[in-house]
Amino acid sequence: TYNPDTNEDLLNRAYVYAMKAHGTQTRASGDPYFSHPLEVAAILTNLKLDDATIVAALLHDTIEDTEATRAEIDNIFGHEIGALVEGLTKLKRLELVSREAKQAENLRKLLLAIADDVRVLLVKLADRLHNMRTLSHVPPEARRRIAEETLDIYAPLAGRMGMQEMREELEDLSFHTLDPEAYAVVMQRLDALAERHSTWGHVALIHQEGSSGSDYIVHARNNTMGTELRYLPYRSDVDFRAGARKNWTAECYPSRCG
C-alpha cells in the first residue's frame, strides 16, 4: 500500500456498510450499484488519497440513494467522513445547466459547494469519470447532456485541480460521445500521421479561449514527440464532417505535423 498507516478496519467497515446499504440496487448496465462506488474508490486509491476520501467515495451515494443518514454515518465513521458524504450529497442535488451563459454560474455553484473541503470535489470528479466510462448504458438524450456537462464543467475543473490526466480522459470520452463520427475522422487523420511519426494519444474537444461557448478546437497530443495538433475551428452548430477532410486548419506545435 502507498500509505503504511492505512486504517484497514475503517476501509473494510465502509465497504461492508455501502454494500449492505445499496443492497439489490442496480445500475443502468444491470451491474450491482455497489460496483460504482467501488470503482470510484479505486480511482481515488490510484491517486493515493487519504483514508477519509476513499471512505467518502465508498459512501458517496448512501445518503441520497439509500436509507442511510448523516447522523448514522457520523456515528459509525466520524464527523469528518460524514461531512464529506453530506457535501457530495449537496453537490449531487445542485441543478446543473451546462453550456454558454450558464457555465460560469455552474462553476461558482460547484466551487461554493466544495469550499469547506476540496476532497468533496476530488470524489465528485472520480464519480463523474466512472460515469463517463460507463455512459454507453445511459439513454441517448441523457448521454449527451452528461457529456456536455462534463466537457463544460468537470473537465476544466479537473485541469484547475492539476489533474491533467483525468481532464484529458474526461475530454476524450465527452468528444467521443458528442460526435463519434467526427471523433473517428480525427482518429483516422492521426493514424495517418502516426505512420510517419509515432503514436498520437490524447484527443479532445476543447473550448477555445474567449469563445462564445459554441466554438471549440479539436486537440491532439503526441507524447513521444512533444507535439500538439489543433484543428480549428470546430463549431457545435455546424456539420463538422462536411468539410473535415479538406478544410481543417492545422496548427502544430512545436514542429510541423508533416
Side-chain angles (χ1 to χ4, degrees):
T1 177
Y2 60 87
N3 180 7
D5 298 320
T6 291
N7 187 335
E8 294 186 8
D9 176 66
L10 174 66
L11 295 173
N12 288 334
R13 285 190 289 115
Y15 179 98
V16 172
Y17 181 92
M19 182 172 60
K20 288 182 177 179
H22 287 293
T24 59
Q25 293 175 350
T26 57
R27 286 171 58 80
S29 63
D31 293 335
Y33 192 89
F34 178 61
S35 64
H36 169 64
L38 193 60
E39 288 294 335
V40 174
I43 290 169
L44 295 168
T45 298
N46 288 335
L47 294 173
K48 300 184 177 182
L49 294 178
D50 64 297
D51 289 348
T53 307
I54 305 303
V55 170
L58 289 169
L59 305 177
H60 77 272
D61 281 331
T62 54
I63 293 178
E64 178 73 11
D65 297 334
T66 77
E67 296 181 358
T69 64
R70 165 70 192 276
E72 184 177 69
I73 290 175
D74 276 4
N75 183 54
I76 298 173
F77 300 103
H79 175 78
E80 178 186 13
I81 290 170
L84 291 173
V85 177
E86 184 174 53
L88 286 156
T89 302
K90 291 178 179 178
L91 196 60
K92 187 174 181 180
R93 291 171 180 171
L94 284 176
E95 181 180 2
L96 298 175
V97 182
S98 60
R99 309 194 72 79
E100 297 183 2
K102 295 291 184 179
Q103 184 182 359
E105 177 185 350
N106 288 331
L107 287 171
R108 286 194 296 271
K109 285 182 179 180
L110 282 169
L111 292 171
L112 285 172
I114 57 90
D116 291 338
D117 198 321
V118 72
R119 292 175 295 179
V120 172
L121 180 56
L122 295 175
V123 178
K124 183 61 181 178
L125 288 172
D127 171 53
R128 178 53 61 112
L129 179 57
H130 183 248
N131 283 334
M132 287 298 297
R133 288 174 176 175
T134 56
L135 200 59
S136 60
H137 301 289
V138 175
E141 184 176 344
R143 192 184 310 160
R144 184 171 186 84
R145 174 185 58 78
I146 293 168
E148 289 175 342
E149 188 177 87
T150 299
L151 183 64
D152 290 347
I153 298 172
Y154 291 102
L157 280 174
R160 293 180 188 184
M161 295 286 294
M163 304 167 71
Q164 193 61 28
E165 187 174 333
M166 181 180 288
R167 173 179 184 160
E168 291 181 354
E169 184 174 355
L170 289 170
E171 289 170 342
D172 287 351
L173 293 168
S174 298
F175 184 18
H176 185 269
T177 298
L178 291 170
D179 200 334
E181 292 182 49
Y183 185 91
V185 170
V186 173
M187 293 305 297
Q188 289 171 6
R189 170 62 172 152
L190 297 182
D191 286 343
L193 291 172
E195 293 179 2
R196 284 172 285 174
H197 298 297
S198 54
T199 303
W200 290 86
H202 167 59
V203 179
L205 189 63
I206 307 173
H207 279 298
Q208 291 191 68
E209 292 298 325
S211 73
S212 64
S214 60
D215 296 323
Y216 297 86
I217 61 172
V218 177
H219 176 274
R221 191 183 64 241
N222 185 316
N223 291 323
T224 302
M225 298 176 63
T227 302
E228 295 187 0
L229 175 65
R230 299 174 183 178
Y231 289 117
L232 309 172
Y234 175 92
R235 289 189 59 86
S236 57
D237 56 349
V238 175
D239 185 356
F240 177 78
R241 294 173 299 282
R245 290 179 176 81
K246 61 181 181 180
N247 292 331
W248 276 337
T249 301
E251 297 181 357
C252 279
Y253 306 95
S255 60
R256 296 182 60 187
C257 294

